[in-house]
Amino acid sequence: MANISAFAQKLLLDFCTGAATATQPSNRWVSLAWGTPTYTNASEMNSSYGYTRATCLFGAAASPAGSASNTASMTFGPFSSIASIMGAHLWDGSPINSSNMLWYGTLATARTVGVGDTLVFAAGALNITLT
Amino acid sequence: MPLHAYGKKLLLDWTTGLNSATSPTVNWISLATASPTDANAFDGPFTFAGTAGGRQTFFAAAAVSPQGYISNRSVMTFTATAACTAVGWNLWDAKAAGNRLAFGTLAAAAGVASAGLVTFARSTLVITLV
């Protein structure tokens, strides 16, 4: 099952039932986590590391697999400080420390970046699944 | 709550901006005599208000956050047209035909005789997303 934030769980349930207004996100951004994100705590890396949230574009979800992935690469950095990156999240707004987290997860392989490094998510590398 | 393939794509595409589907205004629940799967709803011999197929309107209150669940805000009563055991449930977007959004297994199976009733008191049919 996808790691769905508390905000997105309510959003999707309300969308399914029509019991409350569910506003479709108009755009999506990805940011990075220096800890392990949870459904209520993003552990979002702050902007002092020299990066910003990146716009994320998705292709149509695959069915019946129930997965969607990014259609364009996303580049974070260059970083201004050394950092260990554990995870990533999908948001409905920007900048860092704003808006609502939708989905979150840990990287397949944690990364450590140095000053001047960039971190790139290639197209198709960010996958969201629902089970 | 296992999402049906249709529900997965609907919600993913809606969240990622690939569709602009509107929220259904009403949902329906049917009862299953086996644990539903993506391929088979296993709808059982139930009726509601004399309508064969037995889907009943599911009125939910706004989802509870941060727990992430919805529940029925009205009593739901299904009448069995043959002796059976209700094991699971299916969530639909139409009274008949339509699309199955999600499915699940009841916490406790309910065996009934023909004409017997399976009743869900308010807030007892709880559906979670994760």
Side-chain angles (χ1 to χ4, degrees):
Chain A
M1 166 59 75
N3 294 327
I4 308 174
S5 73
F7 173 83
Q9 288 182 40
K10 177 172 171 58
L11 184 72
L12 297 179
L13 284 169
D14 286 339
F15 173 79
C16 279
T17 63
T21 301
T23 303
Q24 183 179 26
S26 54
N27 289 292
R28 285 135 291 274
W29 284 264
V30 171
S31 68
L32 305 175
W34 50 9
T36 301
T38 69
Y39 81 120
T40 54
N41 188 345
S43 293
E44 186 176 19
M45 284 179 60
N46 61 49
S47 57
S48 68
Y49 287 85
Y51 91 108
T52 59
R53 290 182 184 174
T55 302
C56 188
L57 302 175
F58 286 90
S63 183
S67 63
S69 58
N70 60 312
T71 56
S73 64
M74 296 176 288
T75 300
F76 299 91
F79 293 92
S80 56
S81 302
I82 296 171
S84 293
I85 302 168
M86 302 290 292
H89 353 70
L90 186 70
W91 300 79
D92 66 0
S94 185
I96 288 171
N97 288 326
S98 74
S99 307
N100 303 291
M101 181 172 60
L102 300 175
W103 269 292
Y104 62 92
T106 51
L107 301 183
T109 304
R111 304 292 182 180
T112 299
V113 295
V115 175
D117 287 347
T118 57
L119 179 66
V120 179
F121 285 73
L126 182 68
N127 294 289
I128 298 173
T129 61
L130 282 175
T131 57
Chain B
M1 169 177 79
L3 289 164
H4 185 265
Y6 174 86
K8 295 180 204 175
K9 180 167 173 63
L10 176 71
L11 295 181
L12 279 170
D13 285 343
W14 185 78
T15 309
T16 59
L18 269 296
N19 75 34
S20 56
T22 55
S23 179
T25 54
V26 187
N27 296 116
W28 282 265
I29 291 280
S30 64
L31 295 182
T33 52
S35 291
T37 66
D38 209 60
N40 197 329
F42 295 112
D43 278 344
F46 292 97
T47 185
F48 170 64
T51 302
R55 291 183 195 179
Q56 185 168 161
T57 309
F58 176 72
F59 292 109
V64 177
S65 183
Q67 295 86 348
Y69 70 86
I70 53 175
S71 61
N72 57 313
R73 66 180 193 209
S74 301
V75 174
M76 301 172 66
T77 301
F78 298 81
T79 303
T81 57
C84 65
T85 300
V87 176
W89 55 268
N90 296 285
L91 182 70
W92 303 84
D93 65 2
K95 185 177 182 178
N99 301 289
R100 192 154 55 110
L101 301 175
F103 53 89
T105 301
L106 299 175
V112 289
S114 178
L117 304 178
V118 177
T119 300
F120 294 87
R122 286 193 310 176
S123 303
T124 58
L125 184 61
V126 179
I127 299 176
T128 60
L129 193 58
V130 297

